Amino acid sequence: GAVVSQHPSWVICKSGTSVKIECRSLDFQATTMFWYRQFPKQSLMLMATSNEGSKATYEQGVEKDKFLINHASLTLSTLTVTSAHPEDSSFYICSLTGTYEQYFGPGTRLTVT
Amino acid sequence: AQSVTQPDIHITVSEGASLELRCNYSYGATPYLFWYVQSPGQGLQLLLKYFSGDTLVQGIKGFEAEFKRSQSSFNLRKPSVHWSDAAEYFCAVGASTNAGKSTFGDGTTLTVKP
């Protein structure tokens, strides 16, 4: 299956700053990647669908100006959390889809102080 | 709209005992069903999936699941649990073979007693 990496694995930032999270497909060209958010002890919630070379598609209730997604190549999608606040602290997971299943990155834990 | 219910938030079993994790789904057409496992601070790993055919599906790590259309269920089972199976388990239903739009259940935390 495809191998997906995320960087950083853990980041702490101050309130009001921006943080960029990278999602890389190491061995698979992904025209579409997905970004999920997971709060502690909760399930994954799809935030947006990242499309290579075009604008991302955001799920209802997700602020596109706050969560900027760029999918500039077939192997890299980035999620930038702008003007982060403590309530943005969460576990962010990216994934890409093969023919029959999803391949998930290891996740990035964001803590906003 | 599709939805998934995992009735058990937390399950504790003894090592060597059998395990069943419940999953009920709601979907208007033929569902595509998945079970994932997540260890603390990690991403998700696919255990098994069902698209069609044999309703008893075998997965990795000795897990299996049975699709029961009449009960809208896709329960996960393992005959003998190992301590390393302690993790969070998620059931998911997808709208098509493009699994990216899957809807996840709230998860079941499995604790294994020695």
Side-chain angles (χ1 to χ4, degrees):
Chain A
V3 178
V4 183
S5 70
Q6 283 185 240
H7 178 78
S9 57
W10 187 31
V11 58
I12 301 174
C13 71
K14 292 187 176 181
S15 186
T17 62
S18 296
V19 174
K20 180 186 285 187
I21 301 170
E22 293 185 348
C23 175
R24 290 185 184 274
S25 171
L26 301 183
D27 57 357
F28 187 89
Q29 292 189 323
T31 55
T32 302
M33 291 186 180
F34 303 91
W35 286 96
Y36 292 85
R37 182 174 183 176
Q38 184 181 29
F39 290 107
K41 301 298 184 183
Q42 294 189 25
S43 188
L44 279 73
M45 298 297 296
L46 180 65
M47 297 176 64
T49 302
S50 169
N51 303 299
E52 187 265 337
S54 64
K55 291 184 178 180
T57 304
Y58 291 83
E59 296 298 304
Q60 190 173 11
V62 177
E63 300 176 61
K64 61 181 181 181
D65 294 330
K66 181 170 185 61
F67 298 100
L68 301 179
I69 291 173
N70 183 275
H71 193 155
S73 77
L74 291 172
T75 59
L76 175 64
S77 175
T78 60
L79 168 68
T80 300
V81 183
T82 63
S83 186
H85 290 283
E87 57 265 32
D88 297 325
S89 298
S90 188
F91 195 53
Y92 293 88
I93 303 174
C94 70
S95 79
L96 55 88
T97 302
T99 303
Y100 294 111
E101 65 184 86
Q102 279 183 283
Y103 302 97
F104 290 88
T108 296
R109 182 159 304 284
L110 170 63
T111 301
V112 184
T113 61
Chain B
Q2 61 203 47
S3 66
V4 178
T5 302
Q6 292 181 244
D8 304 305
I9 297 173
H10 193 174
I11 283 184
T12 299
V13 300
S14 298
E15 189 169 15
S18 63
L19 170 71
E20 181 170 37
L21 302 182
R22 295 183 291 165
C23 172
N24 294 98
Y25 68 90
S26 174
Y27 186 62
T30 300
Y32 296 86
L33 296 159
F34 308 86
W35 272 102
Y36 295 91
V37 61
Q38 183 182 34
S39 296
Q42 310 247 333
L44 275 70
Q45 181 182 24
L46 179 70
L47 287 175
L48 46 78
K49 57 186 180 284
Y50 171 79
F51 293 149
S52 64
D54 192 347
T55 56
L56 184 62
V57 179
Q58 301 297 320
I60 62 171
K61 304 185 179 185
F63 286 94
E64 66 178 26
E66 186 170 13
F67 170 60
K68 293 185 177 180
R69 184 186 297 275
S70 62
Q71 298 177 20
S72 297
S73 69
F74 188 58
N75 294 347
L76 181 71
R77 300 193 295 249
K78 186 170 185 177
S80 178
V81 170
H82 189 262
W83 64 266
S84 60
D85 293 325
E88 188 81 12
Y89 291 80
F90 292 97
C91 180
V93 60
S96 70
T97 54
N98 181 348
K101 283 284 191 174
S102 295
T103 298
F104 288 80
D106 288 338
T108 298
T109 302
L110 174 64
T111 298
V112 180
K113 293 191 302 184

